[in-house]
């Protein structure tokens, strides 16, 4: 088997100097190319920290983080990120917001000016995929929260990242919009060659979308269990109502409850 | 609403097309009201012109001394705007520098606050020693007094970028410079334009203070000499001209602010 895209080995991360909060300790995780991994765990266990370690926004005090065969010592540029808070820039239109990563990523920023129309077409296609066709020239404040989150996804995808990191991206959405976006992400993963790491509090979301669900312990976080999700792809929303699905969700729920109690 | 509506039925019929917009006209009415109150108050109390002239007497003085008033008004406007423009350029530059890093922000902020606490009047004698009396110290006082709010606002806009926005960009390989250009500077623009209204008002304070103690021209100097001649109506005429110039410049800055940063008034970021 090829080497994993992300390999986190025995990582310790402490915030705020030697006497600060130990966020994660003895963290081990491997993520294969093209895999869809969901990370669940009690609140404050270090899930967001795991995301920041993987993308190189934080450098761990102990252990090593290897992404695409090289040790992470600075932010890696093959990732797209989306957070719960959409962080759209209010002075740019939705389309300009989505094009923002292209102005940053080394590979694209030189081509952007000369190939503008090509990139705009691509952004418009992404908007269409998430159901925002024709909203490109609206400003973020003219969009609803759910629409902003969709645009946020487009921004995370525009530069075709190899690794997509999603930190509770659907947390603030209503159930219907959430399920709709689950399908968007599912189809995206199926149609493109992208590795996805999704942090979530919604266990049904994790089981529905992921190939592998990773359960973390309470702080200091480490991985206490990894579950392969057995359900066949392509998965339909009907899956949510099948007994086997609910059984798995319940098992995860029990594990996290135990992890919380152990803290 | 203060309109009479004793005849208004429950389902109001279409109102006549020409309706007076009371909110738009309110400033005019209130200003006139103030002058009327002033006029009546002075007449009833019988205060002499040498203590508090009536507005009609002040307007008389404006007409009578129009040529020197106009000349001195232009001089004050000139020193104020020049000092203000220098403050804008310097304030923007220093603000960007201070907001650049948390360390610089932390280190320079207390110094800036200390500097701001110094009454700028106290600096005028020093400026006179360095540059002599006249236009230069007036411009510099206007500059010194008005650049602080600009610096603070620009620096605050930069230093309060949401960490998540920064993370998204840094994860893409953005350098500090990219983050400043793409997020920091556009983000601090509403703060910057907002501070211009405060800064222009302060600039008038600076130039007039300096003209009063160390100049041969400008409204400050005109009022000082009118005062020593007991020409109180002329003093008030000067004050009135200052008020007019102040309102015009303030309105101009408010307009610029609105034009440049309309998005900030719509989005939730305006705070
Ligand atoms: N910038 C920081 N400075 C200091 N401590 C931090 C910082 N970020 C996180 N922590 C601490 O590290 C621990 C893990 O935080 P993290 O944000 O990774 O948790 P999380 O699993 O994402 O939580 P949640 O599910 O609530 O989002 C927390 O206890 C938090 O207090
Ligand atoms: Mg988190």
């Amino acid at each position: 088997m090829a080497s994993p895209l992300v390999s986190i080995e025995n990582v310790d991360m402490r915030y705020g100097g030697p006497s600060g909060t130990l966020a994660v300790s003895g963290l081990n995780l491997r993520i294969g190319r093209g895999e869809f991994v969901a990370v669940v765990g009690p609140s404050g266990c270090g899930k967001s920290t795991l995301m920041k370690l993987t993308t190189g926004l934080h450098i761990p005090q102990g252990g090593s983080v290897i992404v695409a065969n090289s040790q992470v010592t600075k932010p890696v540029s093959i990732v797209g990120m989306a957070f719960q808070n959409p962080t759209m820039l209010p002075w740019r239109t939705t389309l300009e917001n989505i094009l923002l990563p292209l102005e940053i990523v080394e590979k694209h920023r030189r081509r952007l000016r000369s190939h503008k129309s090509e990139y705009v077409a691509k952004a418009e296609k992404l908007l269409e995929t998430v159901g925002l066709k024709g909203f490109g020239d609206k400003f973020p404040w003219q969009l609803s929260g759910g629409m902003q989150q969709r645009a946020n996804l487009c921004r995370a995808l525009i530069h075709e990242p190899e690794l997509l990191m999603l930190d509770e991206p659907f947390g603030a959405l209503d159930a219907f919009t959430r399920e709709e976006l689950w399908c968007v992400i599912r189809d995206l993963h199926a149609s493109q060659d992208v590795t996805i790491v999704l942090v979530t509090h919604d266990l049904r979301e994790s089981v529905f979308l992921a190939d592998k669900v990773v359960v973390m312990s309470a702080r200091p976080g480490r991985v206490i269990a990894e579950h392969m999700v057995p359900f066949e792809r392509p998965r339909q929303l009907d899956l949510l109502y099948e007994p086997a699905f609910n059984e798995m969700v319940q098992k995860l729920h029990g594990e996290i409850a135990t992890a919380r109690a152990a803290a | 609403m203060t309109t009479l509506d004793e005849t208004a039925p429950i389902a109001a019929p279409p109102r006549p097309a020409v309706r007076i917009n009371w909110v738009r006209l309110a400033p005019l009415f209130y200003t006139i009201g103030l002058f009327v109150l002033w006029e009546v108050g002075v007449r009833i109390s019988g205060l002499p012109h040498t203590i508090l002239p009536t507005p009609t007497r002040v307007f008389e003085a404006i007409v009578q001394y129009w040529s020197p008033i106009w000349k001195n008004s232009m001089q004050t406007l000139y020193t104020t705007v020049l000092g203000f423009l220098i403050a804008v350029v310097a304030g923007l530059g220093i603000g960007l520098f201070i907001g650049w890093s948390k360390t610089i922000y932390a280190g320079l902020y207390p110094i800036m606050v200390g500097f701001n606490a110094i009454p700028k009047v106290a600096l005028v004698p020093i400026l006179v020693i360095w540059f002599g009396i006249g236009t230069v110290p007036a411009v510099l006082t206007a500059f010194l007094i008005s650049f602080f709010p600009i610096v603070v606002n620009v620096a605050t806009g930069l230093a309060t970028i949401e960490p998540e926005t920064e993370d998204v960009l840094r994860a893409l390989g953005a350098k500090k410079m990219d983050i400043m250009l793409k997020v920091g500077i556009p983000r601090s623009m509403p703060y910057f334009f907002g501070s211009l209204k405060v800064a222009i008002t302060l600039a008038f304070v600076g130039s007039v203070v300096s003209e009063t103690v160390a100049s041969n021209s400008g409204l400050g100097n005109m009022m000082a000499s009118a005062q020593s001649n007991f020409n109180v109506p002329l003093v008030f005429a000067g004050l009135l001209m200052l008020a007019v110039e102040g309102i015009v410049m303030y309105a101009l800055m408010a307009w610029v602010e609105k034009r440049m940063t309309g998005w900030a008034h719509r989005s939730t970021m305006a705070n």
Side-chain angles (χ1 to χ4, degrees):
Chain A
M1 204 185 123
S3 64
L5 180 62
V6 178
S7 158
I8 296 173
E9 274 160 34
N10 214 8
V11 158
D12 293 338
M13 173 75 206
R14 197 186 276 282
Y15 285 105
S19 58
T21 322
L22 186 60
V24 299
S25 172
L27 187 67
N28 282 293
L29 184 63
R30 272 155 196 271
I31 299 167
R33 249 172 238 278
E35 211 175 4
F36 196 135
V37 175
V39 180
V40 299
S43 183
C45 72
K47 300 185 294 294
S48 300
T49 307
L50 166 67
M51 301 297 247
K52 288 177 185 166
L53 287 167
T54 313
T55 50
L57 291 172
H58 290 323
I59 306 301
Q61 283 89 13
S64 69
V65 178
I66 294 165
V67 175
N69 298 321
S70 56
Q71 175 108 22
V72 172
T73 51
K74 62 171 173 43
V76 289
S77 53
I78 58 159
V79 290
M81 281 185 112
F83 294 102
Q84 177 171 358
N85 167 1
T87 64
M88 294 271 122
L89 304 178
W91 55 89
R92 287 172 167 243
T93 64
T94 305
L95 191 75
E96 288 166 346
N97 263 293
I98 294 173
L99 293 175
L100 178 67
L102 302 175
E103 297 168 26
I104 306 284
V105 173
E106 210 48 57
K107 191 170 70 174
H108 297 287
R109 67 193 302 172
R110 278 189 238 104
R111 299 183 69 231
L112 184 60
R113 216 175 265 270
S114 49
H115 296 71
K116 185 87 185 208
S117 59
E118 181 188 310
Y119 284 118
V120 168
K122 195 163 140 196
E124 267 160 4
K125 188 143 171 298
L126 273 175
L127 278 171
E128 197 177 338
T129 320
V130 299
L132 277 185
K133 192 173 194 299
F135 282 93
D137 52 3
K138 293 270 188 296
F139 284 92
W141 76 75
Q142 295 170 312
L143 305 183
S144 72
M147 292 159 99
Q148 286 190 35
Q149 197 52 269
R150 290 160 199 244
N152 197 19
L153 270 181
C154 295
R155 187 179 62 184
L157 290 168
I158 186 77
H159 58 296
E160 296 178 353
E162 278 180 59
L163 181 60
L164 184 59
M165 310 288 282
L166 306 172
D167 195 346
E168 295 177 43
F170 313 129
L173 303 181
D174 71 283
F176 292 102
T177 311
R178 207 181 303 167
E179 286 179 10
E180 208 180 313
L181 287 180
W182 289 354
C183 294
V184 169
I185 292 282
R186 173 199 66 191
D187 297 341
L188 188 105
H189 181 243
S191 64
Q192 284 184 23
D193 196 17
V194 61
T195 309
I196 305 184
V197 182
L198 169 74
V199 166
T200 179
H201 281 137
D202 186 339
L203 300 177
R204 292 162 74 243
E205 176 174 304
S206 72
V207 177
F208 178 70
L209 287 172
D211 299 317
K212 183 165 84 180
V213 178
V214 173
V215 184
M216 286 179 71
S217 71
R219 192 172 60 83
R222 64 193 162 75
V223 176
I224 50 175
E226 292 190 12
H227 301 279
M228 298 310 290
V229 180
F231 308 111
E232 277 297 307
R233 288 181 189 275
R235 296 173 192 160
Q236 303 304 328
L237 285 171
D238 307 340
L239 181 64
L240 300 175
Y241 306 101
E242 280 180 20
F245 181 89
N246 284 314
E247 224 167 81
M248 180 153 188
V249 169
Q250 249 163 37
K251 197 170 77 183
L252 285 171
H253 188 275
E255 270 178 29
I256 295 173
T258 321
R260 273 181 57 126
Chain B
M1 289 279 276
T2 53
T3 45
L4 301 171
D5 55 4
E6 64 238 15
T7 57
I10 297 176
R15 303 240 174 166
V18 189
R19 279 195 62 197
I20 300 166
N21 187 341
W22 292 103
V23 177
R24 292 284 312 255
L25 289 177
L28 185 66
F29 286 134
Y30 277 76
T31 313
I32 294 172
L34 183 69
F35 280 117
V36 170
L37 213 65
W38 175 5
E39 182 82 34
V40 173
V42 173
R43 278 172 192 261
I44 289 176
S45 62
L47 283 173
H49 287 326
T50 43
I51 294 182
L52 183 62
T54 58
T56 40
R57 186 74 187 75
V58 175
F59 286 120
E60 253 172 52
I62 291 181
V63 174
Q64 186 184 349
Y65 300 104
W66 179 246
S67 156
I69 287 178
W70 177 252
K71 207 179 91 238
N72 287 313
S73 295
M74 285 303 115
Q75 167 68 16
T76 298
L77 192 62
Y78 165 69
T79 54
T80 307
V81 170
L82 191 58
F84 170 74
L85 289 179
I86 300 173
V88 167
V89 174
L92 206 52
I94 297 174
L96 292 178
F97 175 72
I98 292 183
W100 187 265
S101 91
K102 297 251 182 320
T103 322
I104 301 177
Y105 189 80
L108 280 182
Y109 202 85
I111 299 178
M112 301 290 300
V113 171
F115 171 79
N116 193 46
I118 300 172
K120 301 302 171 299
V121 199
L123 294 178
V124 177
I126 300 173
L127 294 174
V128 172
I129 293 172
W130 289 348
F131 303 104
I133 64 164
T135 306
V136 180
V139 170
L140 287 180
T141 315
F143 155 66
L144 287 174
I145 203 168
S146 64
F147 96 111
F148 187 73
I150 300 179
V151 170
V152 170
N153 276 281
V154 172
T156 307
L158 290 184
T160 53
I161 298 175
E162 295 86 348
E164 292 193 338
T165 311
E166 214 174 325
D167 281 350
V168 169
L169 295 182
R170 282 211 302 135
L172 294 167
K175 305 273 175 301
K176 186 87 189 171
M177 192 63 170
D178 292 321
I179 294 174
M180 282 297 157
L181 287 176
K182 303 290 178 196
V183 185
I185 294 175
R187 193 179 184 288
S188 65
M189 283 303 108
Y191 296 89
F192 167 69
F193 286 110
S195 72
L196 295 188
K197 290 185 294 191
V198 181
I200 189 71
T201 319
L202 287 174
F204 274 108
V205 174
S207 57
V208 172
V209 160
S210 176
E211 283 168 358
T212 307
V213 297
S215 184
N216 294 321
S217 59
L219 285 174
N221 169 257
M222 186 191 84
M223 290 189 302
S225 47
Q227 178 246 356
S228 57
N229 297 332
F230 298 102
N231 191 347
V232 181
L234 184 55
V235 175
F236 276 83
L239 287 178
L240 210 57
M241 291 309 289
L242 270 178
V244 170
E245 288 187 352
I247 291 171
V248 169
M249 291 311 286
Y250 184 95
L252 185 66
M253 293 308 137
W255 179 79
V256 168
E257 182 190 8
K258 212 159 172 192
R259 277 298 301 271
M260 303 304 289
T261 58
W263 59 265
H265 297 279
R266 300 303 208 87
S267 73
T268 47
M269 202 203 92
N271 50 9

